[in-house]
Amino acid sequence: MEQPFLFRKVAVLGAGVMGAQIAAHLANASVEVILFDLPAKDGDKNAIALKAIAGMQKLEPTPFSVKSKASEIAVANYETDLAKLKDCDLIIEAISERIDWKSDLYKKVGPHISADAIFATNTSGLSLKTLSEHLPEHLKKRFCGVHFFNPPRYMALVEIIPGPTTELAAMDNLESFLTTTLGKSVVRAKDTPNFIANRIGVFSMLATLHHAEKFKLGCDEVDALTGPGIGRAKSATYRTADVVGLDTFAHVVKTMSDTLPDDAWRSIFSLPDWFKGLIEKGAHGQKTGAGVYKKVGKDIMVFDPSKGDYRPSAGSVAAEVEPILKIRNPAERMTKLRECKHPQAQFLWAIFRDLFHYCAVQSESICHNLRDLDFAVRWGFGWTAGPFETWQLSGWQQVSSWIQEDIASGNTIAKTPLPAWATEPGRLGVHSNEGSWSPSQKIIAPRPKSALHARQIFPERLVGETVEYGKTLWENEGVRVWTTGDDIGIMSFKSKMHAIGQEVLDGVIQGVAFAENNLRGLVIWQPEQPFSAGANLAQVSEMLVAKNYTAAEAMVKKFQDASQAIKYSMIPTVAAVSGLALGGGCEFVMHSSKAVVALETYMGLVEAGVGLIPAGGGCKELALRAAQAARGGNIFHFIKQAFETIAMAQVSRSGEHARELGLLRTTDMVVFNANELLYIAKQQAKAMSESGYRPPLRPREIQVVGKGGIATLKMIIANMLEGGFISAHDAAIAERTATVICGGHVDGGTTVSEEWLLELERSLFVELLKTEKTLARIDYMLKNGKPLRN
C-alpha cells in the first residue's frame, strides 16, 4: 500500500498581498504555517511578516474565517530562520513576478528544503521551465507552479503547472491537498505564458479595451455592459482592473507581449496611453484609492480619457440594448446583438466574437481539454459560463459561420482561420455527458475518475452535461427524499431559494417519518445553493393581511414540530450546508443530529429584520445550549451571547464563525470544499448509524435565568434605545427575545421543559405578528429584499 503524503507544515515565502493571504487561508484550514519575508532593518527581525498579518485583520472581505486564526500564523525571516524550512512538507514561494528575484531566493532557501518536500511557485504566468533552471537539482522533481487567484480564501480556482521534470506523484498529492484541505477547484495547466485563466481572461479584457476605444464607449459604460448582464462578475472590466491593480494588470499584459511574439492577436497586447498614465501617477486602483475609478466624498468618479480627468460615473445600458440583454434564449440574444446597429450592441458582439475566435485557435496549446479552459475562466474570473459554454449555448454552427464571415470581411482582430474541428459539419458544441473536446488529442476527453474526484458525487456541470439526482423514494409538493443507490436518504426542498412554507414543513415531518421506517440515515442537502433563505414570508404575509392569526400560529407550531422531528428522529439526520442558511433554515441545521457545513456558510437567526423572533425552535435551542454549556454554573454569560446573536440578527462570516455564534456545536464539522459536502455528510450519517445511533433524550429540566436575566437584558436594551442604536420596535423584539431565552418570568434557577420554551416562542412570535410595524417590515422585505428599520 502506497504511503500517503502528509502536509504537516507549510511555509509561504513572501508576505506580500498574495503570500500573506495564502498563509491566512492555510491557517483557516488549521494547517501549521510559517510566513517568511525579508528581515526588517530595525526592531523585530520579523516585523515585515507581522505587519502583513496585522494588515489582513483590517481587510474586507476578511481573509480569516475567524479572527483568532491570525494568531496561528508563525512568522520568520530569511536571515535567522531558514533552518525552519527543513521540517516543511510544502513550500510556496509567493514573491514578486521577477525571475531574477526568484532565482536569488531559490539559491538562498534551496539548501534548507528537504528533497521530499514539494516546492511550488505562486506565479501568475512565468515559465516553469525557466524558473526550474534556477533550482538546486534535488528540488526539480518536486517543483511546480501553483497559481492562486486573489483573494485566495474566496476565489475557487487554483492552477497547478508542472515543470519539465516534475513527478506526477507530486502533482497528485498537491491537487488532493488543495482540493480537500483548502477547498479549491484545481485545473492542471500547461506551461504556457499566463497559463489558462489569465491568458483567456486578460485577452478578453484587452479585446474589451480595444473595442471600447473603437466604438467610443466610456469606462463606466463598458462596465455597465460587461458585468452580470452578460454573465460576468459585478466588477466587470475596468473595476476588475482596479481590484487587481493597474500595475499588476500591466505586468501580466507585458508578460503576454514579451512571451508571445507569434500570437496573431499581439497587436492588442498593450495598454492605452491614458491607462499607462494613471500607473505613472501612482493611481494603481483600489489599493491606492484611485485608478480608473475613485471615490470623492460619497460620489464615484470615473476617468475620462477624452478629458484626461475624472468625471461623475453615470454609464448605463442603452434603451435599445437593454431589452436584448434580457432575452433568456442565448441564441436569440446573440442574434439580436449582432443584428442591432447600436454601438453598444456591436461592441458586445465584437468582444464575444473575438473571444470565441481566440479561444478556438489557442486552446490546443494552452489546455488539455476545453472543460479545463471553461472551468478555469469561470472559477478564476467569476463568469457564469466559460467562453465555449457561451458559444455552445448561442448556437455553435450559426456563431461559427458569423465568425468566419467577419474574418473574411476583415472585422476580426486577427485573420487566422478557425481550426477545422470548430467548423466541422454537425458540431453542436464541445461539452456533453461523454466529456469535452480536446483539441490537442483530437478526442472527447472524459472527466477524471480518481478517488479524489469520486468525493464529488455531483461535480459542477458544464453546458451540455445533464445530471439526474438519484432515485426518488418519497415526495410531496415541497420536499423530495431520494437516494444515490444506498440506504442513506437525501432530503431536498423544491421551493424557490428553498424557502420554508407549508408544503416544505409537511414534507419535512412526513419525509423524516418515511426515512425512519425505510433508511439508515438522512442527509438534508440542496443540489443548488442556498441551503435555505428561511421562512416563506409570502405565506405569512397572506395570513397577516387576512388577520388569520390562528392559521399563523398553527404554521409556527408545525415549524416547531418539523424541527423537533429532525432532532428526535430515530435515524441520524445530517444537515449538509453551503451558502445561506437563514432563519428557519438555520433552525433546521441547529436541530439536526450533526451539521456538516462548508467554510463559506453564512448562518443566522435573522427574524428580527422582519420584526419577529425565531420560533422554529431557535430560541429554545440556544437557551438549552446555554444551560448545557454552563454545567450548573453561571448561565447568564452564555444567555447574553445567545441574546446578542438573535437580537442583532447576526449572520456568520464563515462556518467557523457560526460555531463562535453558538449556531453550530463543537461536534459539528466545517469542511472546505462545498463540492465534497454531500460525500462527507453521507459518510457521517453512515458512521453514526453503524455506531448504534440513538437520538438525544428529551430534556425534562432546563435551568433558566428567569426574570432576573430578563431585567438585566432589558437594561442593555434600554441603553441601546436611549443611545439611538435601535428603534422602539427593535427594543420590543429584543425584549421578547430576552423573555424566551431567559425562560420567562420565573425565578432564577427554575427548571423548565422544552415544551415550555416552545410555547413561549409561539406566543411571543404571534404577539409580534399582530403589530403594524412587523407587518410593515415583512411587506418591505418582500418588495425590496432588504430589512426595514422602523
Side-chain angles (χ1 to χ4, degrees):
M1 181 177 177
E2 186 178 343
Q3 186 175 355
F5 188 90
L6 302 176
F7 291 84
R8 292 183 174 88
K9 188 184 294 186
V10 178
V12 178
L13 310 182
V17 173
M18 285 302 293
Q21 292 200 44
I22 291 169
H25 194 57
L26 286 160
N28 289 339
S30 298
V31 176
E32 189 175 353
V33 58
I34 309 172
L35 180 61
F36 278 80
D37 210 295
L38 294 166
K41 294 179 180 178
D42 301 305
D44 191 329
K45 290 281 188 184
N46 298 321
I48 294 174
L50 288 168
K51 183 179 179 181
I53 295 170
M56 285 193 292
Q57 294 177 72
K58 301 172 185 175
L59 290 179
E60 289 294 338
T62 175
F64 296 108
S65 58
V66 287
K67 291 179 180 179
S68 59
K69 290 293 181 179
S71 64
E72 295 181 13
I73 303 174
V75 293
N77 67 84
Y78 303 130
E79 183 178 297
T80 62
D81 300 318
L82 289 178
K84 294 180 180 179
L85 291 171
K86 74 177 187 302
D87 296 325
C88 295
D89 304 295
L90 170 64
I91 295 90
I92 300 174
E93 170 269 302
I95 68 169
S96 297
E97 296 280 77
R98 282 184 51 171
I99 289 178
D100 56 340
W101 290 2
K102 289 180 185 286
S103 174
D104 288 344
L105 183 60
Y106 295 173
K107 290 173 185 175
K108 183 180 293 183
V109 302
H112 301 275
I113 297 174
S114 166
D116 296 327
I118 295 173
F119 186 41
T121 174
N122 182 62
T123 175
S124 60
L126 294 180
S127 164
L128 269 293
K129 180 177 183 297
T130 302
L131 288 172
S132 66
E133 292 169 357
H134 298 272
L135 281 173
E137 197 63 34
H138 75 283
L139 295 180
K140 290 186 177 181
K141 288 184 178 181
R142 304 177 73 79
F143 175 68
C144 62
V146 54
H147 180 204
F148 285 84
F149 277 66
N150 191 22
R153 172 184 164 183
Y154 300 97
M155 296 303 292
L157 179 65
V158 173
E159 294 172 311
I160 57 175
I161 311 96
T165 58
T166 308
E167 292 177 342
L168 181 61
M171 299 286 284
D172 291 343
N173 290 329
L174 183 59
E175 182 175 0
S176 293
F177 175 72
L178 292 168
T179 301
T180 297
T181 305
L182 298 189
K184 296 295 139 192
S185 297
V186 175
V187 168
R188 297 198 186 197
K190 295 183 178 182
D191 187 12
T192 54
N194 289 345
F195 313 129
I196 301 175
N198 271 354
R199 178 77 171 272
I200 301 304
V202 171
F203 169 82
S204 178
M205 291 177 72
L206 289 171
T208 300
L209 266 64
H210 169 80
H211 288 297
E213 189 171 327
K214 178 180 176 181
F215 289 100
K216 297 179 172 53
L217 303 181
C219 300
D220 50 345
E221 192 176 0
V222 168
D223 279 356
L225 291 165
T226 58
I230 61 170
R232 299 187 184 175
K234 289 182 180 179
S235 54
T237 301
Y238 292 102
R239 287 186 190 278
T240 294
D242 272 356
V243 171
V244 170
L246 303 193
D247 55 334
T248 303
F249 181 63
H251 173 79
V252 177
V253 173
K254 186 176 185 300
T255 299
M256 289 181 71
S257 180
D258 291 346
T259 57
L260 296 167
D262 300 323
D263 193 304
W265 283 261
R266 194 170 180 275
S267 63
I268 66 165
F269 292 177
S270 61
L271 294 167
D273 289 341
W274 64 266
F275 197 104
K276 296 175 185 175
L278 288 174
I279 296 172
E280 289 170 4
K281 293 175 184 176
H284 293 172
Q286 197 173 75
K287 59 190 174 186
T288 60
V292 178
Y293 294 89
K294 71 174 181 179
K295 194 171 184 180
V296 179
K298 293 184 178 180
D299 298 323
I300 303 297
M301 310 293 284
V302 64
F303 190 79
D304 187 337
S306 65
K307 297 179 179 179
D309 202 356
Y310 290 89
R311 60 168 172 77
S313 176
S316 61
V317 179
E320 298 95 318
V321 178
E322 189 171 10
I324 298 176
L325 295 183
K326 291 181 179 178
I327 296 172
R328 291 192 173 186
N329 183 297
E332 182 185 352
R333 185 166 61 243
M334 194 67 76
T335 299
K336 295 290 186 184
L337 282 176
R338 191 168 192 269
E339 290 174 348
C340 180
K341 300 304 179 186
H342 192 281
Q344 287 189 1
Q346 289 299 296
F347 160 80
L348 286 173
W349 161 247
I351 65 172
F352 278 122
R353 174 202 64 211
D354 289 328
L355 175 63
F356 299 156
H357 188 192
Y358 189 77
C359 289
V361 172
Q362 303 295 355
S363 57
E364 181 172 351
S365 65
I366 67 173
C367 65
H368 297 291
N369 57 68
L370 303 187
R371 174 176 56 252
D372 289 347
L373 188 147
D374 273 348
F375 273 146
V377 175
R378 266 171 50 172
W379 294 333
F381 283 82
W383 294 10
T384 56
F388 289 109
E389 289 183 285
T390 305
W391 186 347
Q392 187 165 329
L393 282 168
S394 301
W396 190 276
Q397 291 290 329
Q398 180 62 80
V399 171
S400 297
S401 67
W402 287 337
I403 295 172
Q404 288 174 298
E405 286 177 22
D406 283 6
I407 292 171
S409 61
N411 287 330
T412 54
I413 295 171
K415 297 179 181 179
T416 308
L418 286 172
W421 62 262
T423 60
E424 63 187 18
R427 179 175 287 281
L428 300 177
V430 294
H431 304 302
S432 67
N433 287 334
E434 286 69 44
S436 297
W437 179 251
S438 170
S440 58
Q441 296 176 278
K442 304 293 188 291
I443 63 167
I444 294 173
R447 280 181 175 266
K449 300 187 184 305
S450 69
L452 173 65
H453 293 93
R455 292 171 61 86
Q456 300 186 16
I457 300 174
F458 297 103
E460 292 185 55
R461 301 189 307 280
L462 292 159
V463 164
E465 292 182 311
T466 58
V467 62
E468 291 185 10
Y469 288 106
K471 177 186 176 183
T472 300
L473 301 177
W474 179 91
E475 64 182 327
N476 73 341
E477 291 183 18
V479 166
R480 175 179 180 241
V481 177
W482 52 285
T483 178
T484 57
D486 55 20
D487 51 10
I488 301 297
I490 301 164
M491 176 182 282
S492 302
F493 303 164
K494 298 180 182 180
S495 51
K496 183 178 180 182
M497 297 289 286
H498 307 128
I500 303 168
Q502 296 280 13
E503 299 85 358
V504 171
L505 293 173
D506 288 336
V508 169
I509 294 168
Q510 296 171 45
V512 168
F514 172 86
E516 281 181 313
N517 292 321
N518 295 279
L519 297 162
R520 294 178 60 200
L522 183 65
V523 173
I524 306 172
W525 177 77
Q526 318 296 359
E528 304 288 342
Q529 289 189 19
F531 178 80
S532 175
N536 186 330
L537 287 178
Q539 286 186 0
V540 175
S541 179
E542 288 174 8
M543 296 173 189
L544 297 188
V545 170
K547 298 189 183 308
N548 191 348
Y549 302 116
T550 302
E553 184 170 4
M555 183 176 176
V556 177
K557 176 65 166 64
K558 188 177 289 185
F559 219 129
Q560 294 177 338
D561 290 345
S563 294
Q564 295 290 83
I566 292 170
K567 181 170 184 176
Y568 294 111
S569 167
M570 291 302 296
I571 60 172
T573 55
V574 179
V577 189
S578 180
L580 295 175
L582 303 178
C586 179
E587 288 173 303
F588 280 175
V589 177
M590 293 172 68
H591 284 79
S592 63
S593 311
K594 188 163 196 169
V596 178
V597 307
L599 178 70
E600 301 309 331
T601 293
Y602 311 106
M603 291 177 64
L605 296 170
V606 295
E607 286 82 355
V610 288
L612 297 167
I613 64 171
C619 290
K620 174 269 298 182
E621 198 65 19
L622 284 183
L624 173 60
R625 291 182 186 184
Q628 291 171 336
R631 297 179 181 177
N634 182 12
I635 302 175
F636 188 76
H637 168 75
F638 301 98
I639 288 292
K640 184 173 181 290
Q641 179 186 339
F643 169 75
E644 290 171 353
T645 297
I646 297 172
M648 297 173 67
Q650 292 183 337
V651 177
S652 71
R653 305 184 72 175
S654 69
E656 288 289 355
H657 187 216
R659 200 192 310 274
E660 289 191 352
L661 293 176
L663 303 174
L664 293 181
R665 299 152 292 199
T666 56
T667 53
D668 292 329
M669 295 178 65
V670 175
V671 302
F672 274 57
N673 196 316
N675 292 319
E676 295 184 343
L677 195 63
L678 179 59
Y679 170 84
I680 296 168
K682 288 186 66 177
Q683 293 296 111
Q684 290 296 311
K686 287 177 184 177
M688 293 167 76
S689 176
E690 290 287 346
S691 62
Y693 175 80
R694 298 288 299 179
L697 295 174
R698 295 177 186 265
R700 297 177 182 176
E701 296 182 340
I702 304 169
Q703 188 174 356
V704 296
V705 294
K707 52 193 176 185
I710 297 172
T712 303
L713 292 178
K714 279 187 174 180
M715 285 192 290
I716 296 172
I717 296 165
N719 287 336
M720 293 182 71
L721 181 61
E722 182 69 24
F725 297 107
I726 60 174
S727 69
H729 196 52
D730 288 327
I733 299 162
E735 286 180 8
R736 286 166 174 81
T737 299
T739 301
V740 178
I741 64 171
C742 290
H745 294 279
V746 297
D747 292 334
T750 299
T751 58
V752 300
S753 66
E754 261 193 314
E755 190 53 44
W756 170 274
L757 293 173
L758 290 170
E759 287 177 3
L760 268 178
E761 274 188 355
R762 284 200 306 276
S763 63
L764 296 178
F765 182 93
V766 174
E767 272 187 23
L768 287 167
L769 280 180
K770 295 177 180 179
T771 65
E772 289 185 9
K773 289 189 175 181
T774 285
L775 182 58
R777 286 194 181 193
I778 292 172
D779 186 58
Y780 190 86
M781 176 64 77
L782 286 170
K783 290 178 180 176
N784 301 284
K786 56 185 179 181
L788 170 68
R789 292 299 182 191
N790 56 356

